[in-house]
Amino acid sequence: MSKQVMKDVRLVVPMLAIAASLAACGGGGGGGSTESAVTYTAGSVVQVGTTSYDPDLPAEPNLPSDTQVCATLEANPKLVRRPDGSLPPEADPNKAGAGVAQDPAVINPDQARIQAALDACGAGVDLEVGAKIAAADATATAAQKAAAKPNVNIAGVSGEELAKPAYKASKFAVRLVVNPKGGDGFISGPLTLPSGVTLWIDKGVTLYATRDAKAYVADAASNKFCANTATSSSKAGSSSNCLPLIGGDNLVNSAVMGDGAIDSRGYAEIVTTDKLYPLMKVDMTCSNTYTAWKSGTQAADGTPCDDGGTIVNLKSSARNMTWWDLAYLGNMVQNGTTGFGSQSNFRMMVFNYAKNLTLYRVTLNNSANFHVVPSGVDGLTVWGVKVQTPSLAAFANPAGNGNPLYTGEVFNEDNVKNTDAFDPGSSSKATSSALTTGSSTRSAAKMSFDGYLKNFVFAYNYVSTGDDDMAFKGSQNPSPSGSGLPGIDGNRDVRSDRKHGMVVAHNHIYYGHGISVGSETNAGVTNIEVYDNAFWDSEEGLRIKSDYARGGEVSNVHYKNICIKNGLNALLFTPYYSTKAIKDDPLFPNFHDITMENVRIQGKTAVKLQGFQANTGGFGNPQYPLVMNMTNVVADSPDEITLTTSDANLTVKGVNLPLIATADNRNVINGVPTKAVDPSKVVDCSKAYVDFPAIGASNYFGSTWDSRH
């Protein structure tokens, strides 16, 4: 097991109730003064992590009924998952030898039948309700164009209107189920999710991604190749070169849900159904060049690779790279030496332009790159989803040598790179586009999308991954030029069934970089509510990150009722996220009007609160201080907090962090930090930290008795 897995043995030991008396810094065993201890009576404060109903949120989604199913597909009888969640090697074995093509019927047996069912269901949905949706959008679009309001995108019919039953077909779900004769797995290449269709992955079922690199090639004619770290001697790879496992553009009322799982198998050795398609090997050689592949030829041994490898070597007996090998090589090795390395790995889900997109109860494992990337969605709901990457399946190494990565390291939170769980954001522009009714079909009429991310709910999820657990990406802005409007604004067109337009609430976070804004903030991000979330052993807890290559304004982000235990960085607010090269004019980060209320920090950790210094990097910029209001932000052990602050304007009340106003660091502290924190304002974290919910036997944190039972 990895160092992180070993470290997290304590995750299997449920937390005992926190004592009614918390010794603050210097208080020692209750022997100090009355001002050096924090006490409270159980039940007198907010209890984090136990809320099951929130009246400020919309209603919980529902699984379809049996009568709403378009098609039911039984699992492949030859695919039986092991207790650890992996497929046995004999399920889709490699053909031995360099430059050997794999059998599509073995390596990708289920893509065609799943897509055919989705396409048929999409056609049925379009036939039943497509005209109603088109008519509603035409009416709304015409009215908005006639109004000609300045700085307002044409949005067409709202997602709130389209959520009504009149716009939903009587049958809309494709259900993947366990085979009654044996078999609980599907292996598939990229799937297109049609408008109005739900992919329902039933309990006990796992949808595995094919290992065939060729299946994910998006557009070879444009030199967009998948499964590499470069596409030439000077151009980095990009995950946008690859098709996602599940993708969809221009959708209404689509969903992926169920109590089953999706496993992208980022840990798995990459193969190909085309013997000429270039693959990298762990000895850094490659099997061919893209130049030769495109001409239908085989490059000779010794030819320089153009995919990030060294030279072509068909005699090499080394295994092929895995997707995570490519991610580590591209990001941590080649990028550090050449400045242009990056991985071309497929993402699990990518959605662009949608009204009412739902992910519900499904489990997501081991994405080769980001798990879910939704852009320009009005009505994005992620509810009751479990993300665990790496899962135990990633450690099922057939070679038995305990070294899954090409470097010899086992998987841990530092080397499973760029496996962000959720990266929601806006699109770059408004559009009028036909709905996707199938993998090769579109609706007759076009529909308006304003390109914004609106009415986003991220609730009751369990997330453990090797990168951002959730990050609002403020990289794109569809607002009219010169409008000054931010790309992401939680107060934009808030629906009547909720209090806030952008909410992150009631979640449990484990591995990963916590709940973040950034690193791209250039489009502007504002008005986000983050409350009742628990972080246990996360690398970061609450974070806003950017730099002057992609900085912008972040404001009105509100954090409330938060528990953070044993995080590496409990709070990390920095405009110096990287030294990324500036291509044009600098983009200065500006974080202000941030509030933090009832936040409890437990264990040894770091806190970084930084604004942007004036005249930085040779630029004549003004100071952009971090402006934050902190109320009842309390560390159980303030002396174990490593604090870094600079260019910060902080207003504090009931805060026991060692904040000091200094001219050298350009800090302004309004209020007085004190160890004598008001006990009635400390949140109760005694039930906030729970074991990651076991998924069969795939929970490598283990399972234990709950001490409360």
Side-chain angles (χ1 to χ4, degrees), residues 177-335:
V177 301
V178 172
N179 193 312
K181 297 180 180 179
D184 53 12
F186 296 79
I187 296 179
S188 177
L191 299 169
T192 298
L193 184 66
S195 182
V197 173
T198 292
L199 178 60
W200 180 3
I201 303 172
D202 211 357
K203 185 176 182 179
V205 171
T206 302
L207 174 63
Y208 294 97
T210 180
R211 299 186 291 127
D212 178 17
K214 180 70 180 304
Y216 302 101
V217 174
D219 184 7
S222 299
N223 295 323
K224 292 185 175 181
F225 312 112
C226 196
N228 58 65
T229 61
T231 57
S232 70
S233 61
S234 61
K235 187 175 182 180
S238 172
S239 288
S240 64
N241 294 344
C242 308
L243 295 170
L245 180 60
I246 301 173
D249 299 336
N250 310 320
L251 307 176
V252 170
N253 298 332
S254 296
V256 178
M257 57 176 60
D259 295 305
I262 302 173
D263 189 339
S264 287
R265 299 197 288 177
Y267 51 80
E269 183 180 3
I270 304 169
V271 298
T272 177
T273 54
D274 180 346
K275 67 179 183 179
L276 294 178
Y277 190 78
L279 295 180
M280 292 179 65
K281 294 182 173 293
V282 296
D283 62 3
M284 303 304 160
T285 64
C286 63
S287 62
N288 201 5
T289 67
Y290 290 125
T291 300
W293 171 70
K294 289 185 71 174
S295 66
T297 61
Q298 173 63 58
D301 281 357
T303 303
C305 300
D306 53 8
D307 63 355
T310 53
I311 59 170
V312 174
N313 184 359
L314 289 175
K315 300 181 182 66
S316 172
S317 60
R319 71 163 172 82
N320 298 333
M321 288 271 185
T322 69
W323 298 103
W324 288 348
D325 285 334
L326 293 177
Y328 191 86
L329 174 65
N331 287 279
M332 303 304 294
V333 179
Q334 292 181 347
N335 186 268

Side-chain angles (χ1 to χ4, degrees), residues 385-420:
V385 173
K386 303 180 186 71
V387 178
Q388 189 181 51
T389 296
S391 74
L392 189 58
F395 299 91
N397 184 11
N401 61 12
N403 296 325
L405 268 182
Y406 80 97
T407 59
E409 290 184 274
V410 293
F411 298 128
N412 59 58
E413 79 283 10
D414 293 322
N415 60 30
V416 180
K417 305 305 296 180
N418 289 100
T419 54
D420 295 21

Side-chain angles (χ1 to χ4, degrees), residues 426-576:
S426 292
S427 298
S428 61
K429 61 182 180 180
T431 187
S432 176
S433 303
L435 296 182
T436 297
T437 57
S439 56
S440 60
T441 58
R442 300 292 182 268
S443 62
K446 291 186 176 182
M447 185 164 183
S448 297
F449 296 90
D450 63 12
Y452 289 115
L453 174 71
K454 301 186 292 188
N455 297 297
F456 171 41
V457 174
F458 185 78
Y460 300 103
N461 303 292
Y462 296 81
V463 184
S464 177
T465 192
D467 213 296
D468 289 325
D469 296 287
M470 199 212 73
F472 285 93
K473 295 291 187 181
S475 57
Q476 300 186 116
N477 192 345
S479 298
S481 178
S483 68
L485 296 174
I488 296 178
D489 184 352
N491 286 349
R492 182 177 280 126
D493 303 331
V494 180
R495 296 186 183 183
S496 61
D497 64 349
R498 64 200 68 196
K499 184 176 181 180
H500 305 289
M502 216 154 285
V503 175
V504 182
H506 317 305
N507 302 288
H508 292 272
I509 308 297
Y510 305 87
Y511 285 177
H513 298 169
I515 296 173
S516 301
V517 175
S519 50
E520 301 88 350
T521 62
N522 47 287
V525 181
T526 189
N527 297 316
I528 301 175
E529 303 294 324
V530 181
Y531 61 88
D532 189 42
N533 297 287
F535 301 81
W536 190 7
D537 279 293
S538 59
E539 190 166 343
E540 272 82 45
L542 305 176
R543 179 166 73 157
I544 300 178
K545 53 174 178 169
S546 194
D547 51 58
Y548 53 73
R550 48 195 167 178
E553 190 170 3
V554 178
S555 64
N556 295 317
V557 182
H558 306 299
Y559 305 98
K560 186 175 182 179
N561 299 337
I562 305 290
C563 291
I564 305 172
K565 183 180 181 183
N566 298 333
L568 181 64
N569 299 288
L571 310 176
L572 181 54
F573 295 75
T574 180
Y576 309 116

Side-chain angles (χ1 to χ4, degrees), residues 684-698:
D684 180 358
C685 298
S686 62
K687 296 183 179 180
Y689 312 113
V690 298
D691 288 348
F692 193 99
I695 309 161
S698 69

